[in-house]
PDB file of all heavy atoms in Angstrom:
ATOM      1  N   GLU A 745      -0.550  65.071 -16.101  1.00  0.00           N
ATOM      2  CA  GLU A 745      -1.060  66.349 -16.599  1.00  0.00           C
ATOM      3  C   GLU A 745      -2.232  66.831 -15.759  1.00  0.00           C
ATOM      4  O   GLU A 745      -2.464  68.021 -15.600  1.00  0.00           O
ATOM      5  CB  GLU A 745      -1.490  66.212 -18.065  1.00  0.00           C
ATOM      6  CG  GLU A 745      -0.289  66.245 -18.997  1.00  0.00           C
ATOM      7  CD  GLU A 745      -0.609  65.738 -20.389  1.00  0.00           C
ATOM      8  OE1 GLU A 745      -1.801  65.759 -20.763  1.00  0.00           O
ATOM      9  OE2 GLU A 745       0.335  65.321 -21.087  1.00  0.00           O
ATOM     10  N   GLU A 746      -2.959  65.857 -15.243  1.00  0.00           N
ATOM     11  CA  GLU A 746      -4.095  66.187 -14.384  1.00  0.00           C
ATOM     12  C   GLU A 746      -3.558  66.437 -12.975  1.00  0.00           C
ATOM     13  O   GLU A 746      -3.259  65.500 -12.234  1.00  0.00           O
ATOM     14  CB  GLU A 746      -5.091  65.016 -14.397  1.00  0.00           C
ATOM     15  CG  GLU A 746      -6.403  65.290 -13.727  1.00  0.00           C
ATOM     16  CD  GLU A 746      -6.995  66.643 -14.104  1.00  0.00           C
ATOM     17  OE1 GLU A 746      -7.459  66.803 -15.246  1.00  0.00           O
ATOM     18  OE2 GLU A 746      -6.957  67.543 -13.239  1.00  0.00           O
ATOM     19  N   LYS A 747      -3.425  67.706 -12.620  1.00  0.00           N
ATOM     20  CA  LYS A 747      -2.735  68.062 -11.383  1.00  0.00           C
ATOM     21  C   LYS A 747      -3.426  67.539 -10.113  1.00  0.00           C
ATOM     22  O   LYS A 747      -2.802  67.406  -9.073  1.00  0.00           O
ATOM     23  CB  LYS A 747      -2.585  69.586 -11.280  1.00  0.00           C
ATOM     24  CG  LYS A 747      -1.585  70.137 -12.268  1.00  0.00           C
ATOM     25  CD  LYS A 747      -1.347  71.609 -12.027  1.00  0.00           C
ATOM     26  CE  LYS A 747      -0.403  72.146 -13.123  1.00  0.00           C
ATOM     27  NZ  LYS A 747      -0.266  73.588 -13.082  1.00  0.00           N
ATOM     28  N   GLU A 748      -4.712  67.291 -10.226  1.00  0.00           N
ATOM     29  CA  GLU A 748      -5.451  66.854  -9.038  1.00  0.00           C
ATOM     30  C   GLU A 748      -5.330  65.345  -8.778  1.00  0.00           C
ATOM     31  O   GLU A 748      -5.846  64.842  -7.789  1.00  0.00           O
ATOM     32  CB  GLU A 748      -6.931  67.235  -9.160  1.00  0.00           C
ATOM     33  CG  GLU A 748      -7.168  68.744  -9.146  1.00  0.00           C
ATOM     34  CD  GLU A 748      -6.521  69.414  -7.942  1.00  0.00           C
ATOM     35  OE1 GLU A 748      -6.878  69.055  -6.805  1.00  0.00           O
ATOM     36  OE2 GLU A 748      -5.645  70.292  -8.134  1.00  0.00           O
ATOM     37  N   ASP A 749      -4.663  64.622  -9.677  1.00  0.00           N
ATOM     38  CA  ASP A 749      -4.609  63.160  -9.569  1.00  0.00           C
ATOM     39  C   ASP A 749      -4.101  62.666  -8.215  1.00  0.00           C
ATOM     40  O   ASP A 749      -4.540  61.622  -7.733  1.00  0.00           O
ATOM     41  CB  ASP A 749      -3.714  62.575 -10.667  1.00  0.00           C
ATOM     42  CG  ASP A 749      -4.497  62.355 -11.956  1.00  0.00           C
ATOM     43  OD1 ASP A 749      -5.722  62.629 -11.948  1.00  0.00           O
ATOM     44  OD2 ASP A 749      -3.893  61.924 -12.948  1.00  0.00           O
ATOM     45  N   PHE A 750      -3.166  63.404  -7.651  1.00  0.00           N
ATOM     46  CA  PHE A 750      -2.574  62.930  -6.392  1.00  0.00           C
ATOM     47  C   PHE A 750      -2.890  63.869  -5.228  1.00  0.00           C
ATOM     48  O   PHE A 750      -2.188  63.906  -4.226  1.00  0.00           O
ATOM     49  CB  PHE A 750      -1.057  62.741  -6.559  1.00  0.00           C
ATOM     50  CG  PHE A 750      -0.719  61.994  -7.813  1.00  0.00           C
ATOM     51  CD1 PHE A 750       0.043  62.571  -8.813  1.00  0.00           C
ATOM     52  CD2 PHE A 750      -1.227  60.716  -8.022  1.00  0.00           C
ATOM     53  CE1 PHE A 750       0.312  61.890  -9.991  1.00  0.00           C
ATOM     54  CE2 PHE A 750      -0.964  60.018  -9.195  1.00  0.00           C
ATOM     55  CZ  PHE A 750      -0.189  60.612 -10.194  1.00  0.00           C
ATOM     56  N   ARG A 751      -3.954  64.612  -5.378  1.00  0.00           N
ATOM     57  CA  ARG A 751      -4.342  65.580  -4.355  1.00  0.00           C
ATOM     58  C   ARG A 751      -4.594  64.885  -3.014  1.00  0.00           C
ATOM     59  O   ARG A 751      -4.210  65.371  -1.962  1.00  0.00           O
ATOM     60  CB  ARG A 751      -5.598  66.327  -4.817  1.00  0.00           C
ATOM     61  CG  ARG A 751      -6.151  67.328  -3.821  1.00  0.00           C
ATOM     62  CD  ARG A 751      -5.189  68.461  -3.505  1.00  0.00           C
ATOM     63  NE  ARG A 751      -4.919  69.324  -4.665  1.00  0.00           N
ATOM     64  CZ  ARG A 751      -4.082  70.368  -4.633  1.00  0.00           C
ATOM     65  NH1 ARG A 751      -3.450  70.681  -3.509  1.00  0.00           N
ATOM     66  NH2 ARG A 751      -3.877  71.084  -5.719  1.00  0.00           N
ATOM     67  N   LEU A 752      -5.219  63.721  -3.074  1.00  0.00           N
ATOM     68  CA  LEU A 752      -5.524  63.003  -1.836  1.00  0.00           C
ATOM     69  C   LEU A 752      -4.238  62.594  -1.100  1.00  0.00           C
ATOM     70  O   LEU A 752      -4.153  62.678   0.128  1.00  0.00           O
ATOM     71  CB  LEU A 752      -6.367  61.763  -2.166  1.00  0.00           C
ATOM     72  CG  LEU A 752      -6.895  60.965  -0.999  1.00  0.00           C
ATOM     73  CD1 LEU A 752      -7.835  61.803  -0.151  1.00  0.00           C
ATOM     74  CD2 LEU A 752      -7.622  59.724  -1.517  1.00  0.00           C
ATOM     75  N   VAL A 753      -3.239  62.183  -1.867  1.00  0.00           N
ATOM     76  CA  VAL A 753      -1.959  61.810  -1.268  1.00  0.00           C
ATOM     77  C   VAL A 753      -1.354  63.038  -0.581  1.00  0.00           C
ATOM     78  O   VAL A 753      -0.921  62.980   0.570  1.00  0.00           O
ATOM     79  CB  VAL A 753      -0.981  61.263  -2.346  1.00  0.00           C
ATOM     80  CG1 VAL A 753       0.389  60.990  -1.731  1.00  0.00           C
ATOM     81  CG2 VAL A 753      -1.542  59.994  -2.984  1.00  0.00           C
ATOM     82  N   TYR A 754      -1.372  64.122  -1.311  1.00  0.00           N
ATOM     83  CA  TYR A 754      -0.851  65.387  -0.781  1.00  0.00           C
ATOM     84  C   TYR A 754      -1.600  65.796   0.485  1.00  0.00           C
ATOM     85  O   TYR A 754      -0.993  66.137   1.509  1.00  0.00           O
ATOM     86  CB  TYR A 754      -1.003  66.455  -1.870  1.00  0.00           C
ATOM     87  CG  TYR A 754      -0.498  67.831  -1.485  1.00  0.00           C
ATOM     88  CD1 TYR A 754       0.828  68.191  -1.716  1.00  0.00           C
ATOM     89  CD2 TYR A 754      -1.357  68.764  -0.914  1.00  0.00           C
ATOM     90  CE1 TYR A 754       1.289  69.462  -1.376  1.00  0.00           C
ATOM     91  CE2 TYR A 754      -0.907  70.027  -0.574  1.00  0.00           C
ATOM     92  CZ  TYR A 754       0.420  70.374  -0.799  1.00  0.00           C
ATOM     93  OH  TYR A 754       0.874  71.621  -0.459  1.00  0.00           O
ATOM     94  N   ASN A 755      -2.918  65.727   0.425  1.00  0.00           N
ATOM     95  CA  ASN A 755      -3.727  66.133   1.577  1.00  0.00           C
ATOM     96  C   ASN A 755      -3.506  65.239   2.800  1.00  0.00           C
ATOM     97  O   ASN A 755      -3.432  65.721   3.926  1.00  0.00           O
ATOM     98  CB  ASN A 755      -5.217  66.129   1.221  1.00  0.00           C
ATOM     99  CG  ASN A 755      -5.577  67.295   0.307  1.00  0.00           C
ATOM    100  OD1 ASN A 755      -4.749  68.191   0.068  1.00  0.00           O
ATOM    101  ND2 ASN A 755      -6.792  67.274  -0.216  1.00  0.00           N
TER     102      ASN A 755
END
Side-chain angles (χ1 to χ4, degrees):
E745 281 164 22
E746 189 45 72
K747 289 187 184 172
E748 294 307 300
D749 274 358
F750 313 118
R751 178 62 65 181
L752 186 62
V753 175
Y754 180 89
N755 287 352

